[in-house]
Amino acid sequence: MSECIFCRIVAGELPSHAVYEDDELLVFNDIHPVAPIHWLIIPKAHVESLAHCGPEHEALLGRMLLLGARLAREHGLTDGFRTAIHTGRAGGQVVFHLHVHIVGGNESKTPIG
Ligand code: 5GP
Ligand code: ZN
């Protein structure tokens, strides 16, 4: 069994509220939302952080960002939304499985994560 909580969510070993899923990506609600919409977009395959990505992840990273914009549009975030990627301890990363935060639905800038 993986010790990575996001790998365990992908495997169905931990519950999550999924917003979107395909072969490569999973999007689910953050357990501690800072706004009415607060999603985490993750690759199903374990990648520790943005700093661990190489050229082989170029398409994956593009898909993650474009999916965030598409889902935001589909969920009515027409005035905009925030994206955040925390990288490494000094970057505030707490869960060491690459993820993009998508935050929207209000205008305040509550810190993410
Ligand atoms: P970060 O690593 O980007 O700083 O923060 C990790 C984010 O994952 C936090 O916003 C936290 O609320 C969220 N998180 C941590 N554990 C879980 C979990 O088990 N389920 C869900 N849905 N979100 C989680
Ligand atoms: Zn993982």
Side-chain angles (χ1 to χ4, degrees), residues 5-6 9 14-17 28-34 38 40 84-88 91-97 99-101 112-113:
I5 56 174
F6 287 178
I9 286 174
L14 289 177
S16 71
H17 181 98
F28 53 94
N29 288 335
D30 194 292
I31 204 167
H32 297 303
V34 300
H38 187 170
L40 301 174
I85 304 175
H86 299 144
T87 304
Q93 188 173 6
V94 174
V95 177
F96 288 87
H97 179 130
H99 53 280
V100 177
H101 294 257
I112 298 169

Coordinates of all heavy atoms in Angstrom, one line a residue, residues 5-6 9 14-17 28-34 38 40 84-88 91-97 99-101 112-113, ligand 1:
I5 N -0.8 10.0 0.3 CA -2.2 10.0 0.4 C -2.9 10.3 -0.9 O -4.0 9.8 -1.1 CB -2.7 11.1 1.5 CG1 -2.2 12.4 1.2 CG2 -2.3 10.6 2.9 CD1 -2.7 13.5 2.1
F6 N -2.3 11.0 -1.8 CA -3.0 11.2 -3.1 C -2.9 10.0 -4.0 O -3.9 9.7 -4.7 CB -2.4 12.4 -3.8 CG -2.8 13.8 -3.2 CD1 -2.3 15.0 -3.7 CD2 -3.6 13.8 -2.1 CE1 -2.7 16.2 -3.1 CE2 -4.0 15.0 -1.5 CZ -3.5 16.2 -2.0
I9 N -5.8 8.0 -2.7 CA -7.1 8.5 -3.2 C -7.3 8.0 -4.7 O -8.3 7.5 -5.0 CB -7.1 10.1 -3.2 CG1 -7.3 10.5 -1.7 CG2 -8.2 10.6 -4.1 CD1 -7.2 12.0 -1.5
L14 N -8.6 5.8 -0.1 CA -9.1 6.9 0.7 C -10.2 7.6 0.0 O -10.2 7.7 -1.3 CB -8.0 7.9 1.0 CG -6.9 7.5 2.0 CD1 -5.8 8.6 2.1 CD2 -7.4 7.2 3.3
P15 N -11.2 8.1 0.7 CA -12.4 8.7 0.0 C -12.0 10.1 -0.5 O -11.1 10.8 0.0 CB -13.4 8.8 1.0 CG -12.7 8.8 2.3 CD -11.4 8.0 2.1
S16 N -12.7 10.5 -1.6 CA -12.5 11.9 -2.1 C -13.8 12.2 -2.9 O -14.5 11.3 -3.3 CB -11.3 12.1 -3.0 OG -11.5 11.5 -4.2
H17 N -14.1 13.5 -3.0 CA -15.2 13.9 -3.8 C -14.6 14.3 -5.2 O -14.1 15.4 -5.4 CB -16.0 15.1 -3.2 CG -17.1 15.5 -4.0 ND1 -18.4 15.1 -3.7 CD2 -17.2 16.3 -5.1 CE1 -19.3 15.7 -4.6 NE2 -18.5 16.4 -5.5
F28 N -10.3 16.6 -7.5 CA -11.2 16.4 -6.4 C -11.2 17.6 -5.5 O -10.3 18.4 -5.5 CB -10.8 15.1 -5.6 CG -9.4 15.0 -5.2 CD1 -9.0 15.4 -3.9 CD2 -8.4 14.5 -6.0 CE1 -7.7 15.4 -3.5 CE2 -7.1 14.5 -5.6 CZ -6.7 14.9 -4.4
N29 N -12.2 17.7 -4.6 CA -12.3 18.8 -3.7 C -11.2 18.8 -2.6 O -11.0 17.7 -2.1 CB -13.7 18.8 -3.0 CG -14.8 19.2 -3.9 OD1 -14.6 19.9 -4.9 ND2 -16.0 18.7 -3.6
D30 N -10.6 19.9 -2.4 CA -9.7 20.0 -1.2 C -10.5 19.8 0.1 O -11.6 20.3 0.2 CB -9.0 21.4 -1.2 CG -7.8 21.4 -0.3 OD1 -8.0 21.3 0.9 OD2 -6.7 21.5 -0.9
I31 N -9.9 19.0 1.0 CA -10.5 18.7 2.2 C -10.7 19.9 3.1 O -11.6 20.0 4.0 CB -9.8 17.6 2.9 CG1 -10.7 16.8 3.9 CG2 -8.5 18.1 3.7 CD1 -10.1 15.5 4.4
H32 N -9.9 21.0 2.9 CA -10.0 22.2 3.7 C -10.1 23.4 2.7 O -9.1 24.1 2.5 CB -8.7 22.4 4.6 CG -8.6 21.4 5.6 ND1 -9.5 21.1 6.6 CD2 -7.5 20.5 5.9 CE1 -9.1 20.1 7.4 NE2 -7.9 19.8 7.0
P33 N -11.3 23.5 2.1 CA -11.4 24.6 1.1 C -11.3 26.0 1.6 O -11.7 26.3 2.8 CB -12.9 24.3 0.6 CG -13.6 23.6 1.7 CD -12.5 22.8 2.4
V34 N -10.6 26.8 0.9 CA -10.5 28.3 1.3 C -11.4 29.2 0.5 O -11.4 30.4 0.7 CB -9.0 28.7 1.1 CG1 -8.0 27.9 1.9 CG2 -8.6 28.7 -0.4
H38 N -12.7 24.9 -4.5 CA -11.2 24.6 -4.2 C -11.0 23.2 -4.6 O -11.3 22.2 -3.9 CB -10.9 24.9 -2.7 CG -9.5 24.8 -2.4 ND1 -8.9 25.2 -1.2 CD2 -8.4 24.4 -3.2 CE1 -7.6 25.0 -1.2 NE2 -7.3 24.5 -2.4
L40 N -8.2 20.2 -6.3 CA -6.9 19.8 -6.5 C -6.8 18.9 -7.8 O -7.6 18.0 -8.0 CB -6.4 18.9 -5.4 CG -6.4 19.6 -4.0 CD1 -6.0 18.6 -2.9 CD2 -5.5 20.8 -4.0
A84 N -2.5 27.6 -8.0 CA -1.3 27.6 -7.1 C -0.7 26.2 -7.2 O -1.4 25.2 -7.2 CB -1.7 27.9 -5.7
I85 N 0.6 26.2 -7.3 CA 1.4 24.9 -7.2 C 2.5 25.2 -6.1 O 3.4 26.0 -6.3 CB 2.1 24.6 -8.5 CG1 1.0 24.4 -9.6 CG2 2.9 23.3 -8.4 CD1 1.7 24.2 -11.0
H86 N 2.3 24.5 -5.0 CA 3.4 24.6 -3.9 C 4.4 23.6 -4.2 O 4.1 22.4 -4.5 CB 2.8 24.4 -2.6 CG 1.7 25.4 -2.2 ND1 0.6 25.0 -1.5 CD2 1.6 26.7 -2.5 CE1 -0.2 26.1 -1.4 NE2 0.4 27.1 -2.0
T87 N 5.7 24.0 -4.2 CA 6.8 23.1 -4.6 C 7.9 23.1 -3.5 O 8.5 24.1 -3.2 CB 7.4 23.6 -5.9 OG1 6.4 23.6 -6.9 CG2 8.5 22.6 -6.3
G88 N 8.0 21.9 -2.8 CA 9.0 21.8 -1.8 C 8.6 22.4 -0.5 O 7.7 23.2 -0.4
G91 N 8.4 26.0 -0.4 CA 7.3 26.5 -1.2 C 5.9 26.2 -0.6 O 4.9 26.4 -1.2
G92 N 6.0 25.7 0.7 CA 4.7 25.4 1.4 C 4.1 24.1 1.0 O 2.9 23.9 1.4
Q93 N 4.8 23.3 0.3 CA 4.2 22.0 -0.1 C 4.1 21.1 1.1 O 5.0 20.9 1.9 CB 5.0 21.3 -1.2 CG 4.3 20.0 -1.8 CD 5.1 19.4 -3.0 OE1 6.2 19.9 -3.3 NE2 4.5 18.4 -3.6
V94 N 2.9 20.5 1.3 CA 2.6 19.6 2.4 C 2.4 18.2 2.0 O 2.8 17.2 2.6 CB 1.4 20.1 3.2 CG1 1.0 19.1 4.3 CG2 1.6 21.5 3.8
V95 N 1.7 18.0 0.8 CA 1.5 16.7 0.2 C 2.5 16.6 -1.0 O 2.3 17.3 -1.9 CB 0.0 16.5 -0.2 CG1 -0.1 15.1 -0.9 CG2 -0.9 16.6 1.0
F96 N 3.3 15.6 -0.9 CA 4.4 15.5 -1.9 C 4.0 14.6 -3.1 O 4.7 13.6 -3.4 CB 5.7 15.1 -1.2 CG 6.3 16.2 -0.4 CD1 5.9 16.4 0.9 CD2 7.1 17.1 -1.0 CE1 6.4 17.5 1.6 CE2 7.6 18.2 -0.3 CZ 7.2 18.4 1.0
H97 N 2.9 14.9 -3.7 CA 2.4 14.4 -4.9 C 1.9 15.6 -5.7 O 1.0 16.3 -5.2 CB 1.3 13.4 -4.6 CG 0.6 12.7 -5.9 ND1 0.5 11.4 -6.0 CD2 0.1 13.3 -7.0 CE1 -0.1 11.1 -7.1 NE2 -0.3 12.2 -7.8
H99 N 0.4 18.6 -7.4 CA -1.1 19.0 -7.6 C -1.2 20.5 -7.8 O -0.3 21.3 -7.4 CB -1.9 18.6 -6.3 CG -1.3 19.2 -5.0 ND1 -0.2 18.5 -4.4 CD2 -1.6 20.3 -4.3 CE1 0.1 19.2 -3.3 NE2 -0.7 20.3 -3.2
V100 N -2.2 20.8 -8.6 CA -2.5 22.2 -8.9 C -3.8 22.6 -8.1 O -4.8 21.9 -8.2 CB -2.8 22.5 -10.4 CG1 -3.2 23.9 -10.6 CG2 -1.5 22.1 -11.2
H101 N -3.7 23.6 -7.3 CA -4.9 24.1 -6.7 C -5.7 25.0 -7.7 O -5.1 25.9 -8.3 CB -4.6 25.0 -5.5 CG -3.9 24.3 -4.3 ND1 -4.6 24.0 -3.2 CD2 -2.6 23.9 -4.1 CE1 -3.8 23.4 -2.3 NE2 -2.6 23.4 -2.9
I112 N -3.7 29.9 0.4 CA -4.0 28.5 0.0 C -3.1 27.6 0.7 O -1.9 27.7 0.6 CB -3.9 28.3 -1.6 CG1 -4.9 29.2 -2.3 CG2 -4.1 26.9 -2.0 CD1 -4.7 29.3 -3.8
G113 N -3.7 26.6 1.3 CA -2.8 25.5 1.9 C -2.1 25.9 3.2 O -2.0 27.0 3.6
Ligands
5GP1 P1 0.0 21.8 -0.4 O1 0.8 20.6 -0.5 O2 -0.5 22.3 -1.8 O3 0.5 22.9 0.4 O4 -1.4 21.4 0.4 C1 -2.0 20.2 0.2 C2 -3.5 20.4 0.1 O5 -4.1 19.1 0.2 C3 -4.1 21.2 1.3 O6 -4.9 22.2 0.8 C4 -4.9 20.2 2.0 O7 -6.1 20.7 2.5 C5 -5.2 19.1 1.0 N1 -5.4 17.8 1.5 C6 -4.5 17.1 2.4 N2 -4.9 15.9 2.7 C7 -6.1 15.7 1.9 C8 -7.0 14.6 1.8 O8 -6.8 13.5 2.4 N3 -8.0 14.8 1.0 C9 -8.2 15.9 0.3 N4 -9.3 16.0 -0.5 N5 -7.4 17.0 0.4 C10 -6.3 16.9 1.2

